């Protein structure tokens, strides 16, 4: 049942998910940015169905590295969202509550800017601020009432988002702040990495953010055996199970890029754990190849991907390969759980929930379990549950919370904000 008096806004660094409390899915999902295509002289607002040619489009984002750095730009995007997409009038906003998601450990100065946006620029009646892990936990607990998460009321939420990746223990719907661990690597860094790899090897795509996002989502996957796959990726012809061709938009016949042979994208699934690169042994690694590498034909508007397809998501598991002085995801999870009380640790290992767009890479869950198992004591079970829809999971948790009878009592009203100020009101959210 929809509660149209509460607007639920999952304000991510990559996408904004917006809708009404009680609905199953958000009404609107749009990129959280303004963009200017080559054909336009001014920045355009995002829409759910963009038909423009986004080749070399310039982008302005209000959120950088996960935190709000440009409130004015965010106000413009929200104003467009409420007025033109959700079709909510100013009078309706004044009588509505807002449930807003915010990253963990947001600085007080950024919290003040957010509160000013909500209460002074948009005049919402009341506000509740939640963090992503607690909303994901709430949704999973209510979605599976007989599951372990619901019975024990604790879980470890692994959120691989646009700006960074968090491993956050949640206990009785509250995020355990001292146990949260973070890797400063998310979907944006992976897109930038694939841009660099393709630009170095084939075609200069450093300005093609939207196109390379599409390449990453359609072609990348997580390798279960990197040394083996690197060997296979060096082969020629049909022996190379990873080679795929992506066709760039030409602006005339097609304005969006596409994969040339969609069936070739799934050939790697025929590999098993026992598969060895045929005709090669480990002795061959340092031997020079007889044939030359296929050179990119710049006359054609396309490029090939081979080992880039699995080397890009590999960064989540081994950020050190990118030169980042950080632990991989498996070690990050172990450190987060080890920070919690020993009684909670076995339960947390059994209730790991994956959310966020970067967990959508094929074989992500199997690889994480493979990396995690050697680091966990033998007597503990490891169970990793991917969310049904990792991109919408946080919003659905917010929608559930907004439709609960206690929501109004938990929120901060505009009158309280005007009387006590931002810092005092924020104490109510236990952040």
């Amino acid at each position: 049942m929809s509660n149209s008096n509460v607007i639920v806004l999952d304000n991510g660094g990559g996408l904004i998910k917006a809708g009404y409390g009680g609905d199953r899915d958000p009404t609107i999902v749009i990129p959280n940015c303004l963009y200017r295509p080559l054909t336009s002289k001014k920045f355009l607002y995002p829409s759910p169905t963009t038909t423009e040619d986004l080749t070399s489009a310039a982008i302005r984002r209000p959120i950088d590295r996960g935190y709000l750095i440009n409130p004015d730009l965010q106000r413009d995007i929200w104003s467009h969202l409420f007025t033109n997409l959700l079709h909510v009038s100013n009078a309706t906003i004044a009588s509505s509550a807002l449930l807003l998601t915010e990253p963990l450990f947001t600085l007080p100065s950024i919290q003040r800017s957010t509160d000013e946006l909500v209460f002074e620029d948009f005049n919402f009646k009341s506000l509740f601020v939640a963090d992503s892990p607690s909303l994901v936990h709430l949704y999973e607990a209510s979605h599976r009432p007989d599951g372990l998460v619901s019975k024990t009321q604790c879980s470890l939420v692994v959120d691989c988002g646009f700006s960074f990746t968090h491993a956050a223990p949640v206990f009785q719907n509250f995020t355990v702040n001292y146990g949260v661990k973070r890797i400063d690597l998310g979907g944006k860094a992976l897109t930038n990495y694939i841009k660099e790899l393709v630009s170095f090897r084939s075609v200069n795509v450093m300005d093609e953010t939207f196109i390379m996002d599409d390449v990453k989502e359609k072609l990348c996957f997580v390798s279960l055996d990197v040394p083996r796959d690197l060997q296979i990726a060096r082969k020629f012809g049909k022996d190379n199970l990873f080679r795929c061709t992506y066709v760039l938009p030409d602006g005339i016949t097609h304005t969006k890029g596409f994969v040339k042979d969609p069936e070739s994208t799934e050939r790697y699934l025929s590999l098993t754990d026992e598969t060895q690169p045929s005709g090669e042994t480990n002795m061959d690694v340092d031997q020079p190849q007889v044939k030359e590498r296929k050179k990119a034909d710049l006359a054609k508007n396309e490029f090939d991907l081979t080992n880039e397809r699995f080397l890009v998501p590999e960064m989540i598991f081994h950020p050190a390969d990118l030169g980042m002085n950080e632990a991989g995801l498996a070690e990050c999870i172990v450190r987060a759980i080890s920070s919690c009380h020993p009684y909670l640790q076995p339960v947390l290992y059994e209730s790991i929930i994956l959310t966020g767009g970067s967990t959508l890479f094929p074989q992500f869950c199997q690889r994480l379990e493979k990396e995690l198992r050697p680091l966990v004591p033998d007597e503990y079970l490891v169970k990793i549950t991917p969310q049904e829809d990792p991109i919408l999971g946080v919003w659905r948790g917010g929608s559930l919370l907004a439709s609960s009878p206690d929501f109004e009592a938990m929120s901060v009203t505009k009158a309280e904000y005007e009387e006590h100020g931002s810092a005092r009101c924020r104490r109510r959210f236990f952040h």
Side-chain angles (χ1 to χ4, degrees):
M1 160 150 168
S2 173
N3 181 2
S4 55
N5 285 339
V6 184
I7 294 174
V8 181
L9 194 63
D10 179 10
N11 197 51
L15 294 171
I16 295 183
K17 284 74 73 179
Y20 297 104
D23 288 357
R24 160 133 175 103
D25 287 328
T27 315
I28 300 291
V29 179
I30 55 169
N32 193 2
C33 63
L34 297 184
Y35 59 89
R36 189 185 68 217
L38 291 175
T39 53
S40 172
K41 288 188 177 178
K42 61 179 184 178
F43 279 88
L44 306 177
Y45 289 106
S47 70
T49 53
T50 304
T51 52
E52 289 102 349
D53 181 4
L54 296 175
T55 308
S56 300
I59 299 174
R60 289 176 63 205
R61 297 188 191 276
I63 291 179
D64 186 43
R65 291 173 179 80
Y67 296 113
L68 181 67
I69 56 159
N70 192 336
D72 295 337
L73 181 57
Q74 189 68 82
R75 181 179 57 234
D76 292 344
I77 294 172
W78 282 4
S79 181
H80 166 72
L81 172 70
F82 294 141
T83 310
N84 301 331
L85 300 176
L86 282 178
H87 305 294
V88 181
S89 66
N90 289 341
T92 311
I93 286 179
S95 61
S96 298
L98 177 69
L99 189 153
L100 181 67
T101 62
E102 204 172 59
L104 292 158
F105 312 124
T106 303
L107 296 169
S109 56
I110 298 175
Q111 291 179 342
R112 271 198 304 277
S113 299
T114 306
D115 293 348
E116 283 173 21
L117 268 180
V118 171
F119 287 123
E120 295 177 21
D121 292 330
F122 288 100
N123 292 313
F124 274 97
K125 182 182 78 172
S126 60
L127 167 71
F128 183 80
V129 176
D131 55 52
S132 309
S134 57
L135 294 182
V136 169
H137 170 89
L138 175 67
Y139 177 71
E140 284 300 310
S142 59
H143 188 54
R144 298 186 177 88
D146 299 326
L148 187 68
V149 173
S150 181
K151 287 175 180 172
T152 59
Q153 277 302 306
C154 72
S155 64
L156 182 92
V157 177
V158 178
D159 185 357
C160 298
F162 180 77
S163 305
F164 36 52
T165 299
H166 279 114
V170 181
F171 183 61
Q172 294 185 346
N173 271 13
F174 288 108
T175 303
V176 183
N177 278 351
Y178 59 80
V180 175
K181 299 290 177 245
R182 181 172 104 182
I183 308 171
D184 289 318
L185 190 82
K188 185 179 181 182
L190 299 185
T191 302
N192 288 342
Y193 185 48
I194 197 171
K195 280 200 276 191
E196 283 181 23
L197 288 177
V198 172
S199 299
F200 180 70
R201 297 179 183 181
S202 310
V203 188
N204 182 11
V205 288
M206 289 307 287
D207 296 332
E208 312 295 350
T209 304
F210 286 112
I211 293 170
M212 296 315 289
D213 258 339
D214 187 51
V215 172
K216 179 187 74 177
E217 288 161 18
K218 285 181 178 166
L219 294 179
C220 287
F221 66 93
V222 174
S223 165
L224 296 178
D225 184 347
V226 178
R228 176 202 67 189
D229 290 351
L230 281 170
Q231 287 283 67
I232 293 171
R234 297 172 66 197
K235 294 178 175 236
F236 296 92
K238 293 194 174 175
D239 288 338
N240 188 339
L241 299 175
F242 305 134
R243 177 166 281 119
C244 283
T245 303
Y246 188 85
V247 182
L248 293 163
D250 59 6
I252 302 163
T253 55
H254 50 274
T255 56
K256 287 194 166 48
F258 61 92
V259 181
K260 201 170 191 178
D261 179 11
E263 288 177 10
S264 67
T265 60
E266 295 186 351
R267 283 191 301 165
Y268 69 90
L269 293 173
S270 61
L271 291 169
T272 60
D273 286 346
E274 291 78 34
T275 310
Q276 288 295 326
S278 57
E280 289 190 20
T281 62
N282 291 336
M283 299 289 289
D284 296 330
V285 176
D286 298 325
Q287 297 292 325
Q289 288 282 355
V290 180
K291 296 184 186 178
E292 283 186 27
R293 183 182 172 88
K294 179 183 168 188
K295 289 191 168 57
D297 183 0
L298 297 178
K300 287 185 177 176
N301 216 18
E302 61 189 39
F303 57 84
D304 284 354
L305 289 175
T306 52
N307 60 12
E308 296 92 340
R309 293 181 61 195
F310 58 85
L311 286 180
V312 170
E314 185 65 22
M315 293 305 106
I316 296 176
F317 298 96
H318 295 116
D321 294 353
L322 254 184
M324 297 178 72
N325 187 22
E326 300 201 16
L329 183 57
E331 194 179 333
C332 185
I333 289 171
V334 171
R335 288 183 182 184
I337 294 179
S338 302
S339 309
C340 298
H341 194 283
Y343 291 173
L344 285 180
Q345 290 178 17
V347 189
L348 289 172
Y349 279 120
E350 262 192 85
S351 49
I352 297 172
I353 302 168
L354 297 182
T355 188
S358 297
T359 63
L360 283 168
F361 290 119
Q363 303 184 152
F364 187 96
C365 192
Q366 297 96 301
R367 170 65 186 278
L368 182 56
E369 192 162 346
K370 190 177 175 184
E371 295 249 321
L372 201 52
R373 187 65 264 184
L375 303 176
V376 178
D378 290 345
E379 62 269 22
Y380 293 170
L381 279 173
V382 173
K383 188 180 177 198
I384 301 172
T385 312
Q387 274 208 299
E388 185 183 11
D389 189 333
I391 292 175
L392 302 184
V394 176
W395 189 91
R396 286 172 176 169
S399 176
L400 266 177
L401 182 60
S403 57
S404 73
D406 301 331
F407 179 75
E408 199 170 329
M410 297 188 310
S411 305
V412 165
T413 64
K414 189 177 183 204
E416 287 171 328
Y417 167 77
E418 286 169 348
E419 184 181 347
H420 301 299
S422 173
R424 176 90 179 272
C425 291
R426 285 277 173 162
R427 288 183 201 167
R428 187 175 295 185
F429 304 139
F430 289 96
H431 280 204

